[in-house]
Amino acid sequence: KTFRPRKKFEPGTQRFELYKKAQASLKSGLDLKAVVQLPPGESINDWIAVHVVDFFNRINLIYGTMSEYCTEKSCPIMSGGLKYEYRWQDDNKYKKPTKLSAPQYMCMLMDWIEMLINNEDIFPTRIGVPFPKQFQQVCTKILTRLFRVFVHVYIHHFDSIINMGAEAHVNTCYKHFYYFIREFSLVDHRELEPL
């Protein structure tokens, strides 16, 4: 229910080539701190766009694999332990920060991100079409909210991840995500405190 089909990059485009570079680097066993660095001569916005879409796909898959354990009953509040509670606001249906269950929050989050990354005015895919001025701000908001998925999964559902034998994948994805957001200062350090 919460899994979304992957957004694909069109073969032959610059973003497809950047995506292939990023994937090849990850599969080669290189140091993740090095793989997140902007390749020489590449656009920072293209690099961020490729990673935001890739992280959306990966984190959506991680949550989708363990979503049966994250229910209205087990997780009535979207939180990261007792100290951190995350409320949903989208300036659309939820104009004020609203307390939601974790499954509701995740569903709203994935729909919201999918809408943004498929919006050509925010994530342009045509050659020569510039990114909007607020592009990195939008990405910061997306990545901050995706980080909250890691917080929730690690604190409330990591036993389920271990039981599925998926901890190595989740840990690698988290490290890649963490090094990327730190490399480009895309998530406020206060948001990182829960983990």
Side-chain angles (χ1 to χ4, degrees), residues 96-141:
K96 294 181 182 176
T98 306
K99 189 181 290 194
L100 297 177
S101 68
Q104 288 174 306
Y105 186 99
M106 299 296 184
C107 190
M108 296 296 294
L109 175 62
M110 298 309 171
D111 285 346
W112 176 77
I113 295 173
E114 186 175 38
M115 181 261 313
L116 289 172
I117 64 176
N118 287 320
N119 183 335
E120 285 286 326
D121 293 332
I122 300 170
F123 279 77
T125 56
R126 292 181 317 278
I127 295 172
V129 176
F131 286 92
K133 288 180 179 149
Q134 79 278 16
F135 176 71
Q136 287 189 21
Q137 289 173 295
V138 170
C139 290
T140 289
K141 196 165 193 175

Side-chain angles (χ1 to χ4, degrees), residues 3-186:
F3 181 72
R4 306 293 193 280
R6 292 174 168 260
K7 176 169 175 152
K8 303 237 189 302
F9 298 102
E10 292 297 318
T13 64
Q14 182 181 8
R15 290 211 192 105
F16 181 74
E17 295 306 314
L18 281 174
Y19 175 74
K20 285 190 341 189
K21 277 185 193 176
Q23 293 305 305
S25 296
L26 280 172
K27 292 174 184 167
S28 70
L30 291 175
D31 175 13
L32 287 173
K33 286 181 186 177
V35 236
V36 298
Q37 294 173 357
L38 181 66
E42 297 296 347
S43 155
I44 182 79
N45 285 340
D46 280 327
W47 191 240
I48 290 173
V50 165
H51 280 82
V52 167
V53 171
D54 189 43
F55 288 134
F56 166 69
N57 289 330
R58 290 171 188 249
I59 294 167
N60 198 10
L61 182 60
I62 288 169
Y63 182 72
T65 60
M66 49 75 47
S67 62
E68 68 185 270
Y69 306 104
C70 185
T71 64
E72 300 285 329
K73 187 174 180 181
S74 69
C75 303
I77 297 170
M78 175 56 180
S79 65
L82 298 174
K83 194 174 174 185
Y84 300 95
E85 180 181 310
Y86 303 116
R87 295 181 179 201
W88 183 258
Q89 182 177 6
D90 58 17
D91 299 325
N92 200 7
K93 183 178 177 183
Y94 297 93
K95 296 186 187 303
K96 294 181 182 176
T98 306
K99 189 181 290 194
L100 297 177
S101 68
Q104 288 174 306
Y105 186 99
M106 299 296 184
C107 190
M108 296 296 294
L109 175 62
M110 298 309 171
D111 285 346
W112 176 77
I113 295 173
E114 186 175 38
M115 181 261 313
L116 289 172
I117 64 176
N118 287 320
N119 183 335
E120 285 286 326
D121 293 332
I122 300 170
F123 279 77
T125 56
R126 292 181 317 278
I127 295 172
V129 176
F131 286 92
K133 288 180 179 149
Q134 79 278 16
F135 176 71
Q136 287 189 21
Q137 289 173 295
V138 170
C139 290
T140 289
K141 196 165 193 175
I142 290 171
L143 294 167
T144 297
R145 289 179 173 184
L146 282 174
F147 180 79
R148 295 171 180 179
V149 177
F150 280 118
V151 171
H152 186 76
V153 167
Y154 271 107
I155 292 174
H156 296 283
H157 301 292
F158 202 68
D159 288 346
S160 300
I161 296 293
I162 290 171
N163 290 338
M164 286 185 266
E167 68 272 17
H169 173 72
V170 173
N171 287 336
T172 300
C173 185
Y174 174 70
K175 278 198 260 184
H176 182 206
F177 181 89
Y178 179 80
Y179 290 142
F180 183 79
I181 62 174
R182 297 301 290 155
E183 175 74 16
F184 300 103
S185 301
L186 292 167

